[in-house]
Each structure stands twice: as structure tokens, then as C-alpha cells.
Amino acid sequence: MTFAGAAGSNGSTDGTGTAARFSNPRRLAFDSAGNLYVADNGNNTIRMITPAGAVTTLAGSPGQWGSADGTGSAARFNSPYGLAVDSTGNIYVGDRNNNTIRKITSTGVVTTLAGSAGQMGNVDGAGSVARFSNPTGVVLDSTGNLYVTDTNNRSIRKITSVD
């Protein structure tokens, strides 16, 4: 059973069920209300699917790539990949080609949590001091630490207490 999107139909359409379109969706994560978030890699967007199958674009703008903090469609991603959702509804994104970790509040405000867009490397540090090389997977533990698969550095990184 197809929950959202249509096989073989590429696009960025918000809609319900098979009326919605995605482009290269990558990772999924649920929030406590049962909403499903999708890293829509090919569209450089983060999408939300309600339990009823209604798809909306939460952050980013289809066809627009880059790195911009902002609200909703004003934000820009460059190959969003991994997703994690905390208990208060914040979403964490491994923004692969920007080499950053992004945070999206439940109201759609996007900020850069760690790393600096366009700056690849392997540096531990807070905020923009940190460097990653193609961060893909992200997962939260029960105490609010975020773990990141730093793909090209072949390592697992830990960002402490992101809540």
C-alpha cells in the first residue's frame, strides 16, 4: 500500500496520499503526534505527512538549494539526508552537502546547530567551529544528545544536550 507519493512520478507537490510527489526521499522520522517527516533529498526540503496522509512542505523550497537559516520556504538545504525528532517536536537534519547539522523548530524555524556551510573537515567544537564531511544519519538518545554519522570522516560524532 502506498501511503504518500506515486511510483515513478517525480515532483514536489503537496497533497494527500498518491496526489503528493517527492524527489529522492531519503530518511524518515516520527514525532510524538504521529506525524512523519521526510528528508526529500532531491527537492532540498523537509516534508511532513500527517497520520491521514496529507503531505506539506515544512522547510526549504523545491528546486532551491543552498544554506540559509529562516522560516519555512525561506530556509535552504543542500541534500538533506538524516532526520531525528525530539520530544518537544524539534527536528534535526544532517544537511549532507552543506556539511552541517540543522535544527527545525515545530513552527518551521531553521537554524544551523553545528558546522559551517561549505566548510568540510573533522573538527570537534561548538556551533560553527565544528566541521563535518557529509553528515548523513542523525539520532537522539534519551538524554538529548545527538549522534551523527560523519560519513566521509568515517566516524560517529556526538553533539551534547541539544534540547
Side-chain angles (χ1 to χ4, degrees):
M1 171 184 159
T2 300
F3 182 58
S9 297
N10 191 46
S12 62
T13 306
D14 288 344
T16 301
T18 58
R21 298 290 180 267
F22 298 92
S23 179
N24 209 8
R26 290 292 180 185
R27 301 291 192 260
L28 307 171
F30 278 100
D31 69 13
S32 60
N35 295 306
L36 179 61
Y37 296 90
V38 180
D40 194 352
N41 186 269
N43 283 316
N44 294 301
T45 58
I46 305 302
R47 314 283 293 280
M48 184 181 85
I49 309 173
T50 67
V55 177
T56 56
T57 302
L58 178 66
S61 183
Q64 303 293 314
W65 61 272
S67 181
D69 291 344
T71 302
S73 62
R76 295 291 179 267
F77 298 91
N78 189 355
S79 194
Y81 218 89
L83 295 176
V85 182
D86 70 16
S87 60
T88 60
N90 294 310
I91 303 160
Y92 300 90
V93 180
D95 195 359
R96 190 178 75 172
N97 289 344
N98 279 324
N99 299 300
T100 57
I101 306 304
R102 313 291 291 283
K103 178 181 178 181
I104 307 171
T105 67
S106 59
T107 58
V109 178
V110 178
T111 56
T112 301
L113 179 67
S116 182
Q119 301 296 313
M120 185 181 293
N122 184 24
V123 177
D124 291 336
S128 62
V129 172
R131 295 292 181 266
F132 300 90
S133 183
N134 292 119
T136 53
V138 293
V139 65
L140 286 158
D141 70 14
S142 62
T143 61
N145 297 307
L146 186 70
Y147 294 83
V148 178
T149 55
D150 194 3
T151 304
N152 288 350
N153 284 319
R154 294 161 184 81
S155 60
I156 308 302
R157 308 283 293 280
K158 179 180 178 182
I159 302 171
T160 57
S161 300
V162 294
D163 291 343

